[in-house]
Amino acid sequence: MSERAGPTTRIRITELSGPAARERRDDLATEEPLELRVTAPDGTRRTVAITMRTPGHDFELAAGFLHGEGLVRHGDIASIAYCTDEDLPPEARYNTVTVRLRGPVPDLPALDRHFLTSSACGVCGSASLDALRGRCAAVPRGSLKLAPEVLYGLPDALRAAQGGFGKTGGLHAAGLFSGDGALAAAREDVGRHNAVDKLVGWASMAGRLPLAEHLLVVSGRASYEIMQKALAAGVPAVCAVSAPSSLAVELAREFGLTLVGFLRGERCNVYAGAERIST
């Protein structure tokens, strides 16, 4: 079996500084494809996605992706493993994950357009709000309250958990926090959507869904896909260090999520769900 790739890759580069040049080593964020397959007890097998990702927490990524797409619920997954099919080239063994389901393979026509997803483009969610209305309910008000001083400390807390970013400068991060700002888990990936999937997969595999008393913090912008994944996981609040999209705001307002953007220093914009902010 081929060697398993790590989250970072070391190469040699030429660094220019003014008129001087020198050779040195540099760490890059590893980017490799991951093929996600599902199988049923009757032997049915289907590839549901191929995504570019940073190796690491691959099983969480698979579980989180399937949960976010509404293809599995708690208890539907029997096992997750790297594929060992004889027809698979050795170099692809750690880039192919098989999810064994307890029941039949779900109907997947809606995923045909998402067969190849990107670490950057985010074409890994349902196409519209109409699709969400059919499978997701509004997030309950709940007891989560967020103090501004807690919000202001979240980007630094997430940054402190980004070991890969510190080495490469090329990874997005997503973190789950409690209402008092305590970090529950953080994940990194070249794709911001993959980082969120890894977190949701972690929570799903640990039996912690729905995440009604947690908030999600992302290192980049808040897109529709990220809000969709938060909604599917029952996360009532999402904070981003950058801007939200118009559809992200529309989703948050319709489904009762709190959405905070431009969270930098001691300022931010609240685009939806201000009632959860204790000012």
Side-chain angles (χ1 to χ4, degrees), residues 251-272:
L251 187 157
R253 292 181 176 181
E254 176 168 341
F255 288 91
L257 278 71
T258 296
L259 175 55
V260 175
F262 291 109
L263 181 56
R264 303 169 184 175
E266 293 193 0
R267 69 168 303 277
C268 63
N269 296 337
V270 182
Y271 294 89

Side-chain angles (χ1 to χ4, degrees), residues 215-231:
L215 64 150
L216 173 68
V217 182
V218 294
S219 60
R221 61 186 178 87
S223 65
Y224 164 78
E225 289 86 1
I226 285 178
M227 299 305 296
Q228 171 198 309
K229 295 174 187 298
L231 175 64

Side-chain angles (χ1 to χ4, degrees), residues 85-257:
D85 290 354
E86 294 182 358
D87 62 346
L88 198 67
E91 63 272 14
R93 294 289 167 84
Y94 285 119
N95 287 336
T96 308
V97 167
T98 297
V99 179
R100 300 189 182 278
L101 304 176
R102 300 187 190 278
V105 172
D107 186 26
L108 303 174
L111 281 182
D112 287 344
R113 67 184 182 281
H114 302 318
F115 181 78
L116 178 62
T117 69
S118 164
S119 61
C121 70
V123 288
C124 54
S126 299
S128 68
L129 289 174
D130 287 339
L132 282 182
R133 294 184 186 106
R135 66 180 179 89
C136 291
V139 173
R141 172 70 180 271
S143 60
L144 182 69
K145 296 293 288 186
L146 304 171
E149 59 269 24
V150 170
L151 292 178
Y152 299 151
L154 294 176
D156 286 342
L158 180 61
R159 176 66 181 84
Q162 291 182 251
F165 180 85
K167 294 178 65 176
T168 67
L171 289 169
H172 290 286
L176 280 174
F177 292 83
S178 61
D180 61 1
L183 177 68
R187 295 291 183 266
E188 292 181 289
D189 200 278
V190 287
R192 60 176 64 88
H193 309 90
N194 291 343
V196 175
D197 278 336
K198 289 178 178 181
L199 273 184
V200 174
W202 165 80
S204 176
M205 295 169 71
R208 300 182 63 156
L209 296 179
L211 294 163
E213 299 301 321
H214 290 77
L215 64 150
L216 173 68
V217 182
V218 294
S219 60
R221 61 186 178 87
S223 65
Y224 164 78
E225 289 86 1
I226 285 178
M227 299 305 296
Q228 171 198 309
K229 295 174 187 298
L231 175 64
V235 178
V238 177
C239 298
V241 300
S242 191
S245 69
S246 61
L247 195 56
V249 174
E250 186 177 349
L251 187 157
R253 292 181 176 181
E254 176 168 341
F255 288 91
L257 278 71

